[in-house]
């Protein structure tokens, strides 16, 4: 384009002016531990099953995909029954292109102009973007200094703000903190008294990594029709590149999401990939156990070196506190280790990798921080 031409003025929504797109750095480094991916690639057996399933789907790509994908929803329900012990009908499950799209569906259905969504900070940085994109008001309450959520603080915020949506990440991102069932129940009780109604979404993107004895909010679904629990196949299943997220809720809740979804939003290829992976859930979950062990050992190691570490039920660890976290982050990057500047000032977040990746992180941190 000639330099003397003036770029035309576009009628961009005013609140989007100057906003940068969301995204963590994607850098070519030896050790990428910044976006909470599963470090283990699918096995050759899983890859072969996925490839065969995609080949079958490809033969019918001249046709639109199954719009309501009840086969995939039944497979997801069966997986959740095994993972959490909660029995669901296929009509109680919804899926989309990552849990990001699931959350967008929720805000499209239950948010909107004149309505408010509430969460408790620090929490997932995409939540306010879902609210912005659906013209939903966004307000955050506070977490405690240990990143837990005081039930009374939650009750008071909901009573004051009368939101239509409450978003609770458990385990929380970026802190890794899981919510006890009593806290979720307190939120549900407060939400039940909001005039006009209020839905509560517990975002369990890292739910499979929770420690023994940490409950899933799936156990509360039967008694709470305004509750939904979201999950993803990106983390525990190691399918971040497939973009499959899903949600469990009462059939009426799911039907509301069906109203706002775009037609044929989940491609036949995506459905085939997800169903193939679910056939190998036991094998893939074995990796989750090793990642839990690696996480717990990393927490101990960091604390032994005098660092503060948040309790984690996820596949990452939040640690600090540094006077200049950017310098620590840059020093690690200079040594080939990419982690995330995330959370309150002074804190950093590292994804749990393979043992060799974790060792590379430890060696670099000792060198940079003088531990």
């Amino acid at each position: 384009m000639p330099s003397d031409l003036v770029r035309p003025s576009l009628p961009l929504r005013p609140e989007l002016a100057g906003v940068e797109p969301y995204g963590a750095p994607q850098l070519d480094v030896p050790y990428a531990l910044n976006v909470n991916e599963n470090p283990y690639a699918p096995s050759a057996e899983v890859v072969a099953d996925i490839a065969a399933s995609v080949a079958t789907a490809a033969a019918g790509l001249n046709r639109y995909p199954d719009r309501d994908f009840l086969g995939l929803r039944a497979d997801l329900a069966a997986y959740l029954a095994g993972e959490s012990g909660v029995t669901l009908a296929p009509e109680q499950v919804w899926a989309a292109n990552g849990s990001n799209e699931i959350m967008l569906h929720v805000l499209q259905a239950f948010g909107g102009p004149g309505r408010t969504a509430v969460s408790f900070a620090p929490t997932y940085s995409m939540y306010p973007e879902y609210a912005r994109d659906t013209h939903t008001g966004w307000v955050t309450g506070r977490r405690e200094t240990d990143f837990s959520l005081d039930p009374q603080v939650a009750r008071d915020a909901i009573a004051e703000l009368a939101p239509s949506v409450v978003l609770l990440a458990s385990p929380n991102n970026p802190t890794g903190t899981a919510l006890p069932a009593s806290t979720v129940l307190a939120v549900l009780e407060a939400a039940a008294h909001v005039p006009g109604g209020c839905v509560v979404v517990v975002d369990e993107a890292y739910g499979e990594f929770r420690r023994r004895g940490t409950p899933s909010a799936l156990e509360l679904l039967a008694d709470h029709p305004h509750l939904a629990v979201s999950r993803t196949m990106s983390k525990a299943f190691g399918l971040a590149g497939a973009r499959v997220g899903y949600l469990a809720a009462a059939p009426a809740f799911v039907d509301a999401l069906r109203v706002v979804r775009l037609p044929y939003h989940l491609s036949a290829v995506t459905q085939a990939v997800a169903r193939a992976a679910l056939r190998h859930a036991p094998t893939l979950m074995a990796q989750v156990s090793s990642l839990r062990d690696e996480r717990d050992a990393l927490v101990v190691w960091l604390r032994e070196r005098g660092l503060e570490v948040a309790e984690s039920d996820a596949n990452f660890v939040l640690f600090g506190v540094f006077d200049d976290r950017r310098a620590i982050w840059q020093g690690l990057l200079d040594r080939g280790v990419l982690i995330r500047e995330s959370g309150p000032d002074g804190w950093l977040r590292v994804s749990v990798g393979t043992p060799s990746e974790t060792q590379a992180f430890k060696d670099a941190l000792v060198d940079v921080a003088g531990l």
Side-chain angles (χ1 to χ4, degrees):
M1 178 182 294
S3 60
D4 57 346
L5 290 182
V6 177
R7 181 174 297 176
S9 177
L10 298 173
L12 185 68
R13 285 165 44 189
E15 67 270 24
L16 300 181
V19 174
E20 292 292 327
Y22 171 87
Q26 289 185 306
L27 305 176
D28 184 13
V29 295
Y31 306 101
L33 300 174
N34 66 321
V35 289
N36 304 337
E37 296 162 328
N38 189 319
Y40 295 103
S43 68
E45 181 184 9
V46 175
V47 169
D49 196 354
I50 288 175
S53 299
V54 169
T56 299
L61 288 181
N62 58 309
R63 303 295 185 185
Y64 285 112
D66 181 350
R67 185 173 54 229
D68 288 319
F69 49 91
L70 279 170
L72 172 57
R73 292 159 74 184
D75 290 351
L76 288 166
Y79 162 70
L80 289 176
E83 193 273 338
S84 68
V86 176
T87 301
L88 301 166
E91 292 78 11
Q92 291 180 264
V93 180
W94 187 240
N97 292 282
S99 56
N100 302 107
E101 188 176 34
I102 289 288
M103 290 297 181
L104 190 63
H105 285 171
V106 169
L107 269 293
Q108 286 175 317
F110 301 108
R115 295 186 169 196
T116 301
V118 167
S119 193
F120 299 89
T123 195
Y124 186 35
S125 58
M126 274 298 296
Y127 290 161
E129 298 201 19
Y130 305 142
R132 178 201 68 198
D133 293 346
T134 57
H135 296 279
T136 306
W138 174 251
V139 181
T140 53
R142 63 172 176 83
R143 287 177 177 262
E144 302 305 298
T145 55
D146 64 355
F147 307 124
S148 63
L149 176 57
D150 185 322
Q152 191 57 51
V153 168
R155 290 190 194 97
D156 292 344
I158 293 168
E160 176 186 353
L161 298 166
S164 59
V165 180
V166 177
L167 300 176
L168 300 175
S170 179
N172 186 41
N173 184 358
T175 66
T177 316
L179 296 174
S182 58
T183 300
V184 178
L185 285 168
V187 170
L188 288 167
E189 180 185 3
H193 292 90
V194 172
C198 173
V199 299
V200 177
V201 182
V202 179
D203 182 354
E204 292 188 349
Y206 305 94
E208 286 90 345
F209 297 99
R210 64 191 187 277
R211 290 171 290 183
R212 188 181 302 276
T214 301
S216 167
L218 289 165
E219 299 171 16
L220 306 175
L221 279 176
D223 297 323
H224 298 280
H226 288 186
L227 169 67
V229 181
S230 69
R231 291 282 187 95
T232 182
M233 296 186 74
S234 295
K235 313 300 182 183
F237 279 87
L239 287 184
R243 308 306 302 129
V244 183
Y246 57 102
L247 172 148
F253 193 117
V254 171
D255 284 345
L257 306 186
R258 293 175 62 226
V259 172
V260 300
R261 62 100 170 95
L262 293 174
Y264 312 108
H265 72 288
L266 208 58
S267 78
V269 170
T270 299
Q271 293 179 43
V273 169
R275 298 191 71 181
L278 285 162
R279 288 193 288 270
H280 299 270
T283 300
L284 293 167
M285 291 306 104
Q287 299 170 345
V288 170
S289 179
S290 66
L291 287 169
R292 282 197 207 102
D293 292 343
E294 191 76 16
R295 173 202 63 206
D296 293 342
L298 179 58
V299 168
V300 171
W301 184 88
L302 289 166
R303 286 176 175 164
E304 286 177 345
R305 276 142 191 84
L307 295 171
E308 291 189 44
V309 185
E311 296 289 344
S312 179
D313 282 272
N315 68 335
F316 57 83
V317 175
L318 187 75
F319 67 100
V321 177
F322 300 102
D323 293 334
D324 186 353
R325 72 173 177 181
R326 168 47 67 113
I328 301 295
W329 178 88
Q330 185 63 56
L332 294 173
L333 181 59
D334 292 342
R335 290 158 178 79
V337 179
L338 177 62
I339 66 170
R340 189 77 178 267
E341 286 185 279
S342 190
D345 288 345
W347 293 80
L348 293 164
R349 193 191 72 197
V350 60
S351 306
V352 177
T354 64
S356 61
E357 289 173 333
T358 300
Q359 189 60 54
F361 161 72
K362 290 178 178 178
D363 292 343
L365 185 62
V366 167
D367 192 20
V368 173
L371 301 180

